[in-house]
Amino acid sequence: MTVRIATFNAENLLSRFDFSGFRNELRQDRVSQLYDFANEAEYRHAEIARAVSLTDDTRQLTALAIAEADADILCLQEVESLDTLHRFEYGYLFKMIGDGYRHKVLIGGNDSRGINLALLAREETLDGARIEVLDVTSHAHLTYEATGLYTPDLHDLAKPHDKVFKRDCLEVDLKIGAKRLTVYVTHFKSMGSPRAGIDGRTWTMPVRVAEARGVRQIIARRFGADGGGKRYVIAGDFNDYAERVVITGDRRNGYHFTPAIEAESAVHVLTADGFAENVVQRRPEMDRWTLYHTRGPEERHLCQLDYLLASPALTRTSRDRLPHIIRAGQPWRTLFPHGQAVDRYPRTGWDRPKASDHCPVAMTFDLV
């Protein structure tokens, strides 16, 4: 018996408009900056038209990526609400896969933008085992103080009474056939912009490390420090990488792709001592990326931000399995290493529309 699990940051799966750009140019879409608006009402009308015209193509591409992942259990990040999820499923996903995900879990978390975590599951796995959602637990309420996770390097970033998880750690217990599985859906703190002469990733690293420690603490308190031989998967967007592929060169002279290892990463907290395996590491070194990052020609790299970390109880029965990374929804601006280019979905743009800035990651696990 098998179960296929996927994670995907769907990038702002929202059903509301953001008009804050009228007063804050930093939040204004780049196309809106080409025009002068006489008043806020005019801006709102234009913003609605812009958003609606872009969203249809975007969500068709998002649905195509989810359909290609073909998961029994799908972990999503950046979803506004269950109502938004239902609308997306009915209007877009249903056309690709039919009546697929009957089980849906979403609990509002801590994000100020209202982007939440969700888990979707079929009624049965692809090979016919029944899937049941047994229990759902939010850990959004946990504070640094209550968990003992506050450290001196958090001083400029957070207070002891602040919440550990910037969104949540959504814990979902499932029964698949006669087997139990627990999935932890996560979305760690974003890297942000440089500050005080320090790059955004380094500046915000203590927050993500604390979140990773929080996830590990939750699992260890329940199953034991070594995972207790239980089946669990930690899935989501960690907003961090343990390695990356640095891109240099240009279109005229050709691009060069060089792998680089990072000394520090929040990912290490969860993979240390064999607590969980990053199954994407099973792919070749140059072929593990799930996101293309660029701030222009001087700063470009490919990296893995999206993870399926599986417990030893899951990985020892799935040694010959490889994860899949679905990249056909990437925009045309994404630079692919030699031999990795894929056929993009129809109507994919240079920068947008796209399925997401992230790639879905999916893997089939054996439940023995």
Side-chain angles (χ1 to χ4, degrees), residues 35-87:
Y35 296 91
D36 292 322
F37 298 103
N39 51 55
E40 186 169 1
E42 188 176 291
Y43 173 80
R44 284 174 174 256
H45 286 306
E47 179 61 20
I48 290 171
R50 182 200 67 79
V52 169
S53 63
L54 178 65
T55 297
D56 184 51
D57 281 339
T58 297
R59 292 315 165 198
Q60 288 186 63
L61 300 174
T62 302
L64 281 167
I66 290 172
E68 188 174 344
D70 199 21
D72 301 314
I73 297 167
L74 174 65
C75 306
L76 291 177
Q77 299 87 51
E78 297 202 9
V79 181
E80 181 179 354
S81 65
L82 275 176
D83 181 59
T84 302
L85 203 51
H86 282 301
R87 295 185 199 184

Side-chain angles (χ1 to χ4, degrees), residues 110-128:
N110 297 324
D111 189 274
S112 59
R113 292 200 297 125
I115 52 173
N116 297 305
L117 309 174
L119 181 142
L120 286 68
R122 301 178 188 268
E123 288 191 299
E124 292 184 345
T125 64
L126 297 178
D127 55 9

